[in-house]
Amino acid sequence: MDKRGIRNISLERAEILKSRIKDYSDKKELIRTGFNREDEIQENKKRIMSILGATNKEWDDWKWQVNNRISDIEILKRILNISEEESIQIKSIGKKYRWAISPYYASLMDSNDANCPIRRQAIPSIEEMVEAGEKDPMGEEYTSPVEGITRRYPDRLIIKVTNQCAMYCRHCQRRRCIGQQDLHLPQEDLKNCIEYIKSQKELRDILITGGDALLLSDKRLHWILSELHEIPHIEIIRIGSRTPVTMPQRITDELCSLLEKFPPIYFNTHFNHPIEVTKEAKEATDKLCSAGVVLGNQAVLLKGINDDAYIMKKLNQELLKIRIKPYYIFHPKEVVGTGHFKVKVQKGMEIMEKLRGYTSGLAVPTYIINAPKGKGKTPILPNYILSWGEESIKLRTWEGEVVDYPN
């Protein structure tokens, strides 16, 4: 075959590939993101600042954001259009499950849409009163050798340094720990955690989380990081924080200078919807990247928020644009009061099928089910191996074609 014939085959293939994502191409511009809603978000910001009597300097101060978290229904009603019935329900739910929203995160909400994916993650729903599920489906109570530590794997563990967050997610897996009061892990308990880690030579990877690890002061963070950094067998430190999503003002120049002293630091955050990927979030991630911090995202698959292949693809593509690697999609856990977010595993599999091959591998996270009672993360993948033979295996490609491959 001559070059022209080969080129024609290539052009025909390119047209076929283009057709594979036509459905997404037709709809992706209609998916709301933080960048295409920037004007609306800025208007919301001005209105909330006026309601709270804030200056621009205060708004940009993370401590002001924390101290002015919205947890009063009357203030919330001035920010959003909330029905009287919903107002009564929020008051009732708040007696059982705490809620608080950073002013910044409130500015991302559609004030007129009760089904806004940002509102649904932050504002209590009467559906939370359904008692199905467990308080501690992960069995953390049984995997805590020292107060503050959760250990489920051979070479790594978690230190839960606080129960405080900038915003209390309605799907939170640790809502049992929130209570009605912000509590940091006492210094004596932190010291015991460090001593335990020193004594376990097989540990190499420590995750500092909570709550939200970045709700600690820079001084306390510096102490924890420096103590861990001095332990010879600890190779990497990870930080779990949703502040780039809910309160990007926390990512200050001072914090980044602190983090830069203790490489390598891996930072896992928690974006669930493209609307959360904003100009302010990008400014925060730019600072973290400049400090040498490696960024990953752990989304949770949530009904009515991101249980849609187009939305999840758009989220992952938006994350890559601000230098965050999509790391995990978690199947929602069986946490009491969160049943309205549950989706079938098949839905997660459908989404994964629409990612692999249909977008770059960088935008394809691992779909994870956390096995009950602390049994650990289990990856769930579409089945691409159809059969095994001594000499060959049958594979299904991302386009559904079945091929033989030498074993």
Side-chain angles (χ1 to χ4, degrees):
M1 186 179 292
D2 61 16
K3 285 188 176 181
R4 179 176 293 180
I6 294 172
R7 181 59 52 81
N8 286 337
I9 291 173
S10 299
L11 290 171
E12 288 173 10
R13 176 61 176 160
E15 288 303 310
I16 291 171
L17 292 174
K18 189 186 298 185
S19 71
R20 296 282 186 220
I21 59 168
K22 186 178 185 305
D23 54 347
Y24 177 64
S25 299
D26 289 344
K27 294 182 179 180
K28 68 177 183 178
E29 299 306 322
L30 302 177
I31 297 173
R32 294 178 295 170
T33 74
F35 284 103
N36 65 31
R37 288 187 65 239
E38 176 62 22
D39 290 345
E40 183 183 342
I41 290 169
Q42 289 303 314
E43 285 302 313
N44 289 343
K45 171 185 170 180
K46 290 177 185 176
R47 187 161 45 82
I48 294 169
M49 285 174 59
S50 175
I51 291 168
L52 299 180
T55 64
N56 281 313
K57 184 177 180 181
E58 287 172 327
W59 181 272
D60 292 335
D61 181 348
W62 73 273
K63 293 179 181 177
W64 181 89
Q65 289 279 337
V66 172
N67 291 333
N68 287 273
R69 286 179 302 179
I70 300 154
S71 57
D72 181 278
I73 188 62
E74 297 307 319
I75 293 177
L76 190 66
K77 284 164 66 175
R78 295 175 64 192
I79 295 171
L80 305 173
N81 289 330
I82 293 176
S83 69
E84 192 56 37
E85 180 183 8
E86 188 179 5
S87 174
I88 293 168
Q89 290 174 358
I90 292 170
K91 286 180 183 178
S92 174
I93 297 158
K95 294 174 183 177
K96 184 172 184 178
Y97 296 122
R98 189 180 186 191
W99 65 278
I101 307 164
S102 69
Y104 165 81
Y105 199 71
S107 75
L108 308 188
M109 297 177 182
D110 186 325
S111 60
N112 296 310
D113 181 6
N115 291 314
C116 163
I118 308 303
R119 284 174 64 152
R120 293 198 69 223
Q121 291 183 72
I123 298 175
S125 162
I126 193 63
E127 295 169 301
E128 293 181 38
M129 302 306 281
V130 177
E131 291 295 329
E134 301 179 51
K135 288 185 177 180
D136 182 17
M138 301 290 290
E140 291 186 324
E141 179 184 359
Y142 301 102
T143 52
S144 181
V146 174
E147 186 66 30
I149 282 178
T150 296
R151 184 175 184 180
R152 290 196 293 267
Y153 301 101
D155 69 343
R156 56 205 183 276
L157 58 73
I158 294 169
I159 309 177
K160 293 178 287 186
V161 295
T162 182
N163 74 344
Q164 188 179 22
C165 292
M167 188 271 287
Y168 295 110
C169 304
R170 307 324 301 166
H171 57 277
C172 179
Q173 67 168 333
R174 296 194 181 115
R175 55 169 38 199
R176 71 188 187 281
C177 302
I178 294 170
Q180 296 294 337
Q181 185 179 2
D182 294 327
L183 297 169
H184 298 325
L185 191 66
Q187 183 71 10
E188 192 60 35
D189 287 339
L190 278 174
K191 289 179 180 178
N192 291 337
C193 291
I194 298 297
E195 291 306 312
Y196 176 81
I197 293 166
K198 286 179 179 178
S199 72
Q200 307 293 306
K201 307 296 184 186
E202 70 282 359
L203 294 173
R204 48 169 291 280
D205 175 358
I206 305 300
L207 169 60
I208 307 167
T209 184
D212 194 308
L214 292 192
L215 268 291
L216 295 185
S217 67
D218 286 358
K219 182 178 179 181
R220 178 66 67 90
L221 277 170
H222 186 277
W223 182 85
I224 296 170
L225 291 171
S226 60
E227 288 290 319
L228 292 172
H229 198 69
E230 290 299 314
I231 301 173
H233 53 270
I234 298 305
E235 299 172 6
I236 63 172
I237 299 170
R238 287 189 278 172
I239 291 174
S241 172
R242 207 181 181 201
T243 56
V245 186
T246 59
M247 189 176 66
Q249 294 83 357
R250 178 63 182 101
I251 312 302
T252 63
D253 293 337
E254 293 77 14
L255 173 67
C256 292
S257 295
L258 186 164
L259 299 178
E260 197 171 16
K261 296 176 183 177
F262 303 105
I265 287 182
Y266 290 76
F267 191 114
N268 284 331
T269 188
H270 179 181
F271 288 81
N272 284 329
H273 194 280
I275 291 173
E276 295 171 335
V277 185
T278 65
K279 178 173 66 72
E280 288 85 354
K282 182 181 184 300
E283 290 170 358
T285 57
D286 283 348
K287 288 181 181 180
L288 289 167
C289 289
S290 296
V293 176
V294 183
L295 301 173
N297 189 65
Q298 300 183 153
V300 178
L301 187 60
L302 299 168
K303 184 178 181 180
I305 292 173
N306 58 18
D307 60 331
D308 176 283
Y310 300 140
I311 288 174
M312 192 63 78
K313 185 192 290 191
K314 185 68 171 177
L315 169 64
N316 294 339
Q317 292 173 345
E318 291 292 296
L319 289 172
L320 288 177
K321 286 159 63 175
I322 64 170
R323 295 190 280 184
I324 299 177
K325 169 69 177 78
Y327 179 37
Y328 286 147
I329 298 175
F330 280 115
H331 195 76
K333 301 175 182 70
E334 298 282 338
V335 182
V336 65
T338 68
H340 52 297
F341 291 120
K342 286 169 60 176
V343 296
K344 289 187 177 295
V345 175
Q346 290 96 315
K347 174 57 71 173
M349 295 288 274
E350 288 171 13
I351 289 172
M352 295 305 295
E353 290 268 18
K354 281 294 188 179
L355 292 177
R356 176 63 64 190
Y358 291 87
T359 190
S360 58
L362 283 170
V364 183
T366 303
Y367 180 37
I368 291 289
I369 290 179
N370 269 287
K373 305 303 179 187
K375 301 296 183 182
K377 299 179 182 71
T378 304
I380 307 297
L381 300 171
N383 189 12
Y384 295 106
I385 299 179
L386 301 182
S387 65
W388 292 89
E390 189 64 30
E391 301 298 329
S392 68
I393 61 175
K394 283 194 181 298
L395 296 179
R396 177 177 65 87
T397 71
W398 65 274
E399 293 177 283
E401 184 180 354
V402 178
V403 298
D404 288 311
Y405 189 82
N407 187 6

